[in-house]
Amino acid sequence: MKLTDLFFIFLKIGWLTLGGGYVMIPLFLEEIVKKRNYMDEEEFIKALTLAQLFPGPIAFNLAVSVGYKLKKIKGAIISALAVVIPSFVSILVIAIFFLNFQKLKIVQGFFYGLRPAIASAMVLAVFEIFKKRKWNTLNFLSFLFLSIILIVFKINPIYIIISSLIVIILWVYFKN
Amino acid sequence: MGILQELAKVFFKIGLFGFGGGYAIIALIRHLVVEETKWLTNLQFIDVVAISQVTPGPLALNAATFIGYKMGGILGSLVATFSSVLAPFILVYVASYFVHNIGKEKVDLYLSLLSPLTFALIMSGTYSILKDSISDAFSILLFFISLFLGYKAKWSLTRILLFSGIIGEIFYLLFK
């Protein structure tokens, strides 16, 4: 496998990840494991686990950890670059248009209609979470507590993320 | 501080604290780009979220490219995009280098402890998007129609956005 192969595979994956998130994981599996056998499924799961531990878009993190596994530093950089380019190019083009034409009534009208739909998609996502998730009491109480301080007291999310992480990491560390 | 440095600082933070991905990152990005720096208005922020849902790439990246361009042109968009993936790249890279075996139990515990935080962030993001997108009776109607189409009729998000955008457009051009 050459670096250019890696570049084009991740470029393709980058184009296909509409909206981002976990939906693209099967796509990685298909391209890297099933079609080309660059790594076996176990190695892929390891790379995925690593990608999930850290902040950052999952598709990006996965590209870096897979790229590293296959071609070390060069692989990591090439994969990272390739997976970002499609997003960068398409948003840049849209930004140029949007910022030039956002004052037009026709553009404003369309976005006026879009906004409640986005809100509904998020409300639906919240529904799904509550339906699927099996909550234990502790998880539910910490969820409730964190939501209230975020929404009611408007505390900077960064402080909440940092303090939660400290608690979580200590917890995991001392559990054994 | 020049705008490029500020873009770098803000989007580095978004990369560093962007846990959970997807809708979970909305609260963090919104706090930094709407409330703290005022680079986007409430409504422009929802527009960026909407655009991000139908274009390649995750929200954090899309927001970086879009806002980078808005505030600092092409150079700004390069700086913001690069900064937004810098921390995830370094973290995943270093971890790939050092970590070869992670206990599955520890990872599962870590991810399950992380979920109340992720959900609280989603709740908070949903709350602000909902609050900002509902501006009049017609937008409330559109919200419920979209909710119905997503929940009962199982339309895809792209289809709902297109539909809602067109209906909103017609109403806006006729009555606003």
Side-chain angles (χ1 to χ4, degrees), chain B residues 131-149:
Chain B
K131 189 184 59 162
D132 295 338
S133 65
I134 306 291
S135 52
D136 49 25
F138 191 73
S139 58
I140 296 175
L141 183 66
L142 267 183
F143 169 79
F144 283 109
I145 292 173
S146 309
L147 201 62
F148 172 81
L149 291 174

Side-chain angles (χ1 to χ4, degrees), chain A residues 17 19 50 53 55-57 68 87 91 94 96 102 105-106 108 111-115 119-120 124 133 135 156 165, chain B residues 16 18-19 31 44 47 55-58 62 69 88 93 96-97 110 115 119 133 136 146 151 161 164 169 172 176:
Chain A
T17 57
L50 211 79
L53 294 180
Y68 177 82
S87 152
I91 295 295
I94 289 174
I96 292 170
Q102 63 175 339
K105 221 177 164 188
I106 193 153
Q108 285 190 356
F111 279 91
Y112 167 80
L114 273 188
R115 291 179 199 128
S120 84
L124 262 186
R133 191 83 199 164
W135 299 84
N156 187 339
L165 274 180
Chain B
L16 186 58
F19 280 89
H31 182 86
Q44 282 175 325
D47 298 347
T55 51
N62 293 165
Y69 178 77
Y93 183 80
S96 305
Y97 187 85
Y110 169 83
S115 61
F119 296 155
S133 65
D136 49 25
S146 309
Y151 190 70
L161 289 179
S164 184
E169 179 90 270
Y172 196 86
K176 289 242 162 181

Side-chain angles (χ1 to χ4, degrees), chain A:
Chain A
M1 168 216 347
K2 287 177 293 186
L3 275 173
T4 45
D5 295 337
L6 211 54
F7 182 81
F8 285 111
I9 292 168
F10 280 108
L11 199 65
K12 180 178 166 191
I13 293 177
W15 272 117
L16 295 174
T17 57
L18 294 192
Y22 283 82
V23 284
M24 32 47 62
I25 292 172
L27 205 62
F28 276 83
L29 192 67
E30 176 76 25
E31 294 288 332
I32 304 290
V33 180
K34 291 189 180 146
K35 254 198 216 163
R36 297 186 180 77
N37 268 317
Y38 286 166
M39 52 172 63
D40 59 34
E41 204 161 324
E42 196 182 326
E43 277 180 297
F44 178 77
I45 298 292
K46 273 190 195 165
L48 176 62
T49 306
L50 211 79
Q52 283 177 293
L53 294 180
F54 298 101
I58 183 77
F60 179 81
N61 291 1
L62 191 52
V64 174
S65 78
V66 168
Y68 177 82
K69 263 249 156 71
L70 297 174
K71 287 275 181 195
K72 303 294 166 208
I73 179 82
K74 279 185 195 157
I77 293 174
I78 290 292
S79 312
L81 196 65
V83 86
V84 168
I85 286 175
S87 152
F88 181 78
V89 172
S90 47
I91 295 295
L92 192 61
V93 172
I94 289 174
I96 292 170
F97 276 96
F98 182 84
L99 294 168
N100 273 314
F101 299 117
Q102 63 175 339
K103 293 256 153 40
L104 294 182
K105 221 177 164 188
I106 193 153
V107 176
Q108 285 190 356
F110 192 71
F111 279 91
Y112 167 80
L114 273 188
R115 291 179 199 128
I118 281 294
S120 84
M122 293 189 69
V123 169
L124 262 186
V126 171
F127 278 174
E128 292 295 319
I129 287 169
F130 278 103
K131 245 176 40 188
K132 279 186 192 150
R133 191 83 199 164
K134 291 187 191 71
W135 299 84
N136 62 37
T137 320
L138 182 69
N139 267 3
F140 187 73
L141 287 180
S142 34
F143 157 74
L144 219 57
F145 171 73
L146 292 171
S147 303
I148 290 169
I149 51 179
L150 274 166
I151 295 171
V152 181
F153 298 103
K154 298 188 191 306
I155 294 174
N156 187 339
I158 291 181
Y159 299 140
I160 297 183
I161 292 168
I162 294 175
S163 35
S164 303
L165 274 180
I166 293 173
V167 173
I168 292 169
I169 289 169
L170 288 177
W171 188 309
V172 172
Y173 188 78
F174 286 111
K175 187 77 185 182
N176 290 27

